[in-house]
């Protein structure tokens, strides 16, 4: 027998309060529902719901977004009914209760197949965990598509008949594979990417590229067009798959023949079919079966879906929309209106269905058909004694068509060094042993320094007059860019480089830094994702280089992560941030770091793939110019003792800041004296005098500031010269969740503790903070933040 919820019993069983629920307008309160005999033969199935919950959410933590939609074709209307239930042992009972109620009201039951942090969250970005991968087979030859999946991907965990039927009468299917563990972060993005790739290869529903795409619950009831059918499990196998291994199978699976090219001819009741729209002229004034607006919306939507699925390029899609406008609309729309409507529909489509699968067209492969694969016999290679290509920067530091990555921690002087180096190369003058063959044309594509501060930095760098004179027109730099190296960004960069060097292409293209211009492709991966990094390097950077000058050398500036001194000594290039694919791709690597944080010298480690190994360099700025030092002058005495002392200072630094944050969260604030006395000999901080000394240093360096008037938090004004201690990001008390009684939306409010005064690093006086909302560190001390940002 199905569950029969009554009023508050349903709300209690589902574990939600009434203000978190958006009701169907005709239903209002459940207590008002009239009693009647059950007219249906099909009922929700608790056993199947339990199986579904176990496969889809068994390992997940958080809350499951549940959706109730009135199935169309029943003559009923209503808004969605949304609840959130905990992904725990109570979930099957709560979901069965909800499914039974929805069954009585003619509503379908859907879930987002992933968990979120709390009620009110249901966007793609809100999904935190997902443990099962699904493909929705809803059109075409369902049996053939299932066979294709079984053959290439193996036995799935669940095969579910969704309750729908194709035009040929076949059961529509949901095919599920359960993972060995929940996917989070980049693994979650990879899971969603695989859902989209599988759908494209077998002609499934590509909307499942988006993490928040809902799906019917097995064991619930399908009501469309007045036909009640159980969403039932056809097969269940206790099978789990590893996400990485499964991804390899998906990559190897070929697409089905003809899949992805067919378009649907079906139309909703009262709407024209796609074929009719694309082939029938329509006049203004509602003289035809549908209006110009209806026809244009259907046609534009069709071509935008083709672009979104990667079956047309953006340019092809726009030309198709313009062609429809010219051929079918009488009179045609003005182009600005056509563009505005296209952009509106595209934004809605992206919001609903996730990021598109767009392929770049500016690559050489897209412009010219590739030639035959080159191969050479051993004898030919041994006999070829022709001169080697001339190095762009000798010795073999940057070779024609090569890629050099310069890594360094923030504030280590990487950009200053890079600008000096590039200007010397543009002048044709050696720099620290790096030698150009002639004056080089250098395009410096940077996204960190705004125009006025860029010119100030260039004017402050002590460059020899002869270098400046020679490089005035061969070194070109951009101000801080506000773009990504995506299709649109590449087009702008190409235009700028051609304008900067109209007579000959650049010899060096420098991108500084990778992070600010990174585009991980259609799946939106970050720089820690190997696939996204390879996409950026091959489909963005190399495409840009090949269009401008295939022999151009590329220099990429990149940040590093925090590594121990011994790790840097053993393998310095492990410090490069992000995906390991970067190191396997570049031809040369340079890494700048400080061997001793108390000294100004930097080590420049060098790694070459196209030439013999080069010894590292010890460099420094002397009189405003970069110079190479004798490595024998590097201080070696008591380095281990100094390192231990540094580590202990950093540990106390982190402990003190962490304690202040935790105490504020517990609604406790302290002056410097009270904090020192309260936490004496706690956390390994030592005596109160030691704590006061560390607080004094931290306040001088800007890590600790002060609040003079804490009365807003219930504390009295102190007579202390400075005030109550305050650190960046400090919040008073725990965050408070507030629920909108109308929409059920949950918002979190916090009470931030912001400083009013700071300690002047020069005079030691207490000065007033200009903008409490912006935490500013004294100039020259930002490098001390490195260990915190990499923690």
């Amino acid at each position: 027998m199905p569950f029969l919820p009554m009023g508050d019993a349903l709300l209690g069983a589902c574990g939600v309060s009434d203000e978190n629920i958006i009701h169907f307008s005709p239903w209002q309160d459940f207590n008002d529902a009239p009693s009647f005999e059950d007219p249906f033969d099909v009922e929700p199935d608790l056993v199947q719901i339990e199986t579904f919950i176990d496969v889809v959410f068994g390992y997940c933590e958080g809350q499951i977004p549940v959706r109730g939609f009135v199935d169309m074709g029943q003559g009923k209307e209503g808004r969605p009914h949304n609840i959130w239930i905990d992904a725990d042992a109570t979930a099957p009972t709560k979901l069965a209760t909800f499914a039974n109620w929805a069954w009585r009201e003619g509503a379908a039951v859907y879930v987002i197949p992933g968990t979120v942090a709390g009620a009110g969250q249901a966007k793609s970005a809100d999904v935190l965990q997902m443990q099962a991968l699904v493909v929705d087979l809803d059109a075409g030859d369902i049996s053939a598509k299932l066979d294709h999946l079984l053959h290439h991907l193996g036995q799935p965990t669940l095969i579910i008949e969704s309750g729908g039927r194709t035009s040929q009468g076949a059961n529509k299917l949901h095919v599920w594979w359960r993972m060995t563990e929940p996917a989070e972060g980049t693994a979650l993005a990879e899971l969603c990417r695989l859902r989209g790739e599988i759908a494209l290869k077998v002609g499934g529903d590509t909307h499942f590229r988006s993490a928040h795409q809902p799906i019917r619950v097995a064991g619930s009831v399908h009501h469309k067009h007045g036909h009640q059918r159980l969403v039932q499990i056809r097969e269940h196998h206790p099978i789990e798959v590893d996400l990485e291994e499964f991804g390899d199978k998906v990559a190897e699976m070929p697409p089905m023949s003809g899949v992805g090219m067919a378009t649907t001819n079906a139309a909703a009741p009262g709407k024209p079919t796609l074929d009719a729209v694309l082939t029938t002229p329509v006049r203004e004034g509602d003289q035809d079966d549908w209006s110009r607006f209806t026809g244009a919306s259907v046609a534009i939507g069709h071509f935008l879906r083709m672009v979104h699925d990667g079956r047309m390029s953006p340019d092809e899609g726009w030309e198709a929309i313009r062609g429809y406008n010219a051929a079918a609309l009488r009179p045609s729309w003005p182009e600005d209106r056509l563009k505005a409507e296209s952009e509106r529909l595209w934004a809605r489509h992206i919001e609903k269905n996730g990021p598109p699968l767009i392929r770049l067209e500016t690559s050489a492969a897209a412009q010219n058909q590739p030639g035959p694969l080159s191969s050479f016999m051993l004898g030919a290679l041994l006999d070829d004694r022709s001169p080697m290509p001339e190095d762009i920067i000798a010795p073999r530091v940057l070779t024609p068509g090569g890629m050099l990555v310069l890594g360094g921690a923030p504030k280590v002087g990487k950009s200053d060094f890079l600008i000096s180096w590039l200007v010397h190369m543009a002048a044709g003058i050696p720099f620290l042993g790096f030698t150009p063959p002639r004056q080089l044309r250098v395009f410096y594509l940077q996204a960190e320094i705004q125009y006025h501060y860029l010119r100030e930095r260039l004017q402050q760098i002590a460059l020899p007059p002869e270098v400046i004179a020679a490089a005035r027109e061969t070194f070109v730099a951009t101000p801080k860019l506000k773009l990504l190296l995506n299709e649109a960004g590449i087009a702008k960069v190409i235009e700028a480089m051609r304008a900067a060097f109209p007579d000959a292409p650049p010899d060096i293209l420098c991108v500084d830094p990778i992070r600010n211009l990174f585009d991980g492709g259609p799946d939106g991966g970050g720089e820690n994702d190997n696939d996204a990094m390879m996409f950026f390097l091959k489909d963005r950077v190399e495409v840009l280089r090949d269009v401008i000058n295939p022999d151009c050398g590329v220099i990429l500036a990149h940040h590093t992560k925090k590594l121990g001194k011994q790790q840097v000594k053993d393998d310095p290039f492990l410090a490069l941030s992000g995906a390991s694919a970067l190191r396997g791709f570049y031809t040369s690597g340079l890494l700048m770091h400080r061997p001793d944080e108390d000294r100004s010298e930097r080590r420049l480690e060098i790694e070459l793939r196209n030439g013999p190994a080069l010894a590292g360099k010890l460099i420094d700025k002397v009189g405003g110019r970069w110079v190479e030092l004798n490595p024998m002058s590097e201080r070696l005495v008591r380095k281990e003792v100094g390192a231990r002392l540094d580590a202990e200072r950093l540990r106390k630094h982190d402990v003190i800041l962490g304690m202040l944050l935790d105490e504020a969260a517990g609604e406790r604030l302290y002056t410097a004296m009270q904090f020192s006395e309260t936490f004496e000999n706690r956390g390994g901080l030592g005596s109160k005098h030691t704590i006061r000394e560390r607080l004094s240093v931290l306040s001088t360096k800007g890590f600790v500031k002060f609040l003079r008037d804490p009365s807003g938090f219930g504390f009295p004004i102190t007579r202390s010269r400075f005030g109550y201690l305050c650190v960046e990001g400090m919040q008073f008390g725990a965050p408070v969740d507030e629920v909108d009684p109308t929409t059920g939306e949950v918002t979190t409010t916090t009470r931030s503790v912001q400083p009013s005064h700071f300690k002047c690093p020069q005079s030691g006086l207490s000065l007033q903070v200009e903008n409490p909302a912006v935490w500013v560190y004294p100039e020259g001390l930002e490098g001390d933040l490195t260990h915190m940002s990499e923690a």
Side-chain angles (χ1 to χ4, degrees):
M1 287 293 293
F3 294 89
L4 300 177
M6 295 292 293
D8 294 336
L10 173 64
L11 301 178
C14 292
V16 295
S17 59
D18 185 60
E19 62 266 21
N20 285 339
I21 297 178
I22 304 175
H23 294 281
F24 282 102
S25 54
W27 300 341
Q28 301 300 324
D29 193 286
F30 298 141
N31 291 319
D32 296 334
S35 60
F36 57 86
E37 294 185 3
D38 184 359
F40 305 126
D41 295 329
V42 181
E43 301 175 354
D45 188 320
L46 173 60
V47 175
Q48 295 197 47
I49 291 175
E50 289 177 336
T51 301
F52 179 83
I53 286 289
D54 179 60
V55 170
V56 181
F57 301 102
Y59 298 144
C60 292
E61 297 177 347
Q63 293 197 309
I64 304 170
V66 184
R67 301 286 177 262
F69 299 111
V70 171
D71 269 329
M72 64 183 183
Q74 303 179 87
K76 296 182 179 181
E77 296 181 356
R79 295 190 304 168
H81 183 91
N82 305 330
I83 64 170
W84 286 258
I85 62 177
D86 292 322
D88 56 19
T90 66
T93 301
K94 293 175 181 177
L95 188 57
T97 303
F98 183 84
N100 178 77
W101 167 80
W103 161 70
R104 292 171 57 83
E105 301 296 343
V109 180
Y110 291 77
V111 294
I112 293 175
T115 53
V116 297
Q121 297 182 350
K123 296 179 180 179
S124 183
D126 296 329
V127 178
L128 302 179
Q129 290 186 336
M130 192 174 284
Q131 73 172 49
L133 185 149
V134 64
V135 57
D136 181 5
L137 305 180
D138 57 358
D141 190 341
I142 302 294
S143 178
K145 293 179 180 183
L146 179 61
D147 289 343
H148 191 78
L149 292 174
L150 294 176
H151 177 72
H152 292 283
L153 302 183
Q155 183 68 56
T157 310
L158 287 178
I159 300 177
I160 296 174
E161 296 178 0
S162 67
R165 301 283 193 272
T166 68
S167 57
Q168 293 79 23
N171 287 315
K172 298 181 179 181
L173 300 179
H174 298 161
V175 186
W176 292 87
W177 286 268
R178 184 182 188 177
M179 302 293 134
T180 55
E181 60 183 358
E184 301 176 342
T186 56
L188 176 59
E190 171 67 5
L191 188 149
C192 292
R193 185 193 70 79
L194 291 177
R195 295 200 309 184
E197 183 174 345
I198 295 171
L200 282 174
K201 288 185 174 182
V202 299
D205 187 346
T206 57
H207 292 155
F208 283 91
R209 282 197 301 265
S210 178
H212 71 304
Q213 178 68 20
I215 193 165
R216 290 183 186 266
V217 174
S220 65
V221 178
H222 178 283
H223 298 272
K224 279 188 179 180
H225 308 301
H227 299 291
Q228 285 77 38
R229 301 188 187 98
L230 187 67
V231 181
Q232 63 179 354
I233 297 174
R234 176 191 290 184
E235 294 182 25
H236 175 214
H237 303 277
I239 292 173
E240 295 183 347
V241 297
D242 177 79
L243 180 60
E244 184 174 353
E245 294 176 357
F246 194 75
D248 293 338
K249 290 184 178 181
V250 174
E252 295 172 359
M253 181 178 71
M256 293 183 66
S257 178
V259 163
M261 300 307 297
T263 59
T264 178
N265 291 321
K271 291 185 178 180
T273 65
L274 177 60
D275 282 347
V277 167
L278 296 180
T279 58
T280 306
V282 56
R283 297 164 292 179
E284 64 181 347
D286 294 332
Q287 303 178 56
D288 302 293
D289 293 337
W290 57 84
S291 67
R292 287 193 309 159
F293 180 81
T294 299
S297 297
V298 172
I300 292 172
H302 162 68
F303 293 121
L304 292 182
R305 283 191 297 274
M306 297 283 283
V307 172
H308 187 272
D309 291 345
R311 291 178 274 167
M312 298 180 74
S313 71
D315 289 342
E316 291 170 343
W318 173 239
E319 287 305 314
I321 291 171
R322 293 180 64 198
Y324 169 82
N325 181 49
L329 300 188
R330 302 287 193 272
S332 58
W333 279 3
E335 188 156 308
D336 55 350
R337 180 183 179 185
L338 191 69
K339 183 176 295 186
E341 181 65 11
S342 299
E343 291 174 349
R344 182 185 70 84
L345 292 176
W346 178 252
R348 289 182 56 186
H349 195 72
I350 293 294
E351 181 180 0
K352 181 179 180 181
N353 301 305
L357 290 177
I358 295 179
R359 297 292 179 258
L360 191 65
E361 290 187 309
T362 54
S363 67
Q367 294 180 352
N368 304 293
Q369 291 298 322
L373 184 67
S374 299
S375 60
F376 302 95
M377 294 182 181
L378 173 62
L381 294 171
L382 294 175
D383 295 340
D384 188 351
R385 300 292 180 173
S386 60
M388 293 296 293
E390 190 176 45
D391 292 341
I392 297 176
I393 300 177
R396 300 290 177 90
V397 174
L398 186 60
T399 52
M403 179 179 293
L404 182 150
V405 172
L406 170 64
K411 308 304 177 185
V412 76
K414 180 172 70 273
S415 293
D416 189 289
F417 170 84
L418 183 57
I419 291 174
S420 297
W421 185 18
L422 292 176
V423 172
H424 276 79
M425 298 301 100
I429 297 175
F431 177 77
L432 302 181
F434 302 131
T435 306
R438 51 179 170 76
Q439 279 187 283
L440 301 177
R441 294 174 295 275
V442 178
F443 193 88
Y444 182 42
L445 187 72
Q446 65 91 25
E448 282 193 325
I449 310 171
Q450 296 170 319
Y451 169 77
H452 295 292
Y453 306 100
L454 175 64
R455 66 181 175 91
E456 179 183 54
R457 174 171 291 191
L458 285 168
Q459 292 164 9
Q460 290 175 348
I461 295 177
L463 294 169
E466 65 274 15
V467 172
I468 296 176
R472 291 187 69 90
E473 296 182 358
T474 51
F475 175 85
V476 177
T478 66
K480 180 178 180 179
L481 296 176
K482 297 180 180 179
L483 55 79
L484 298 178
L485 276 185
N486 52 21
E487 286 184 299
I490 286 178
K492 291 182 179 180
V493 173
I494 291 172
E495 182 181 2
M497 284 198 288
R498 286 174 174 167
F501 301 108
D503 300 325
D507 300 298
I508 295 178
L509 165 64
C510 179
V511 177
D512 182 13
I514 290 177
R515 179 176 300 170
N516 292 10
L517 297 163
F518 188 83
D519 174 39
D523 299 315
E527 58 184 293
N528 292 318
D529 184 328
N530 275 314
D531 289 339
M533 178 61 75
M534 290 300 292
F535 179 91
F536 176 73
L537 296 174
K538 296 179 67 176
D539 290 52
R540 295 310 191 222
V541 176
E542 285 207 328
V543 163
L544 176 58
R545 188 260 310 281
D546 291 345
V547 171
I548 289 297
N549 177 11
D551 291 330
C552 177
V554 174
I555 298 177
L556 303 178
H558 197 35
H559 295 303
T560 57
K561 55 193 173 186
K562 186 72 173 180
L563 288 183
K565 297 295 183 183
Q566 188 60 40
Q567 290 175 300
V568 173
K569 182 178 179 181
D570 292 341
D571 192 346
F573 291 92
L574 286 178
L576 289 174
S577 294
S580 59
L582 176 63
R583 188 177 183 186
F585 196 86
Y586 63 66
T587 56
S588 305
L590 271 66
L591 192 101
M592 179 185 286
H593 65 98
R594 277 194 172 97
D596 188 338
E597 296 296 335
D598 293 330
R599 296 173 64 88
S600 61
E601 294 94 336
R602 284 83 154 176
R603 282 279 302 177
L604 197 63
E605 311 292 349
I606 307 172
E607 181 179 56
L608 301 183
R609 187 160 289 124
N610 289 344
L614 291 181
K617 297 175 181 290
L618 187 66
I619 60 176
D620 199 2
K621 289 194 75 173
V622 178
R625 298 184 184 182
W626 289 96
V627 297
E628 185 173 0
L629 305 178
N630 184 348
M632 298 304 296
S633 66
E634 186 176 2
R635 182 165 59 93
L636 302 175
V637 179
R638 297 180 61 82
K639 289 182 66 175
E640 292 78 10
V641 175
R644 287 198 296 270
L645 294 175
D646 289 342
E648 178 60 12
R649 283 193 292 268
L650 293 178
R651 187 193 67 80
K652 289 181 179 179
H653 172 144
D654 293 339
V655 170
I656 290 173
L657 298 189
M659 281 183 170
L660 288 172
L661 289 171
D662 292 340
E663 291 298 300
E667 301 186 352
R668 294 179 293 275
L669 302 178
Y670 298 89
T671 63
M673 177 63 75
Q674 292 306 114
F675 182 87
S676 302
E677 293 178 351
T678 301
F679 293 97
E680 184 179 38
N681 292 325
R682 291 172 61 181
L685 294 179
S687 70
K688 67 178 183 181
H689 304 293
T690 301
I691 298 175
R692 283 295 301 273
E693 289 177 358
R694 295 316 306 160
L695 284 172
S696 178
V697 171
L698 292 174
S699 60
T700 297
K701 292 188 173 184
F703 292 105
V704 172
K705 298 185 182 181
F706 305 94
L707 176 63
R708 281 279 181 86
D709 183 6
S711 57
F713 303 100
F715 284 78
I717 298 176
T718 179
R719 295 181 180 179
S720 168
R721 182 161 65 101
F722 289 97
Y724 287 79
L725 302 174
C726 180
V727 299
E728 186 178 13
M730 180 179 280
Q731 296 181 357
F732 189 82
V736 178
D737 290 341
E738 297 180 357
V739 181
D740 189 311
T742 303
T743 66
E745 182 180 4
V746 179
T747 58
T748 302
T749 59
T750 59
R751 300 177 65 190
S752 61
V753 182
Q754 297 180 344
S756 61
H757 290 74
F758 71 100
K759 181 179 179 182
C760 177
Q762 283 78 38
S763 65
L765 298 176
S766 177
L767 303 179
Q768 190 166 357
V769 172
E770 293 183 2
N771 185 354
V774 178
W775 196 279
V776 179
Y777 293 90
E779 184 177 356
L781 296 175
E782 298 92 329
D784 291 346
L785 292 169
T786 304
H787 74 283
M788 297 182 63
S789 63
E790 299 294 345

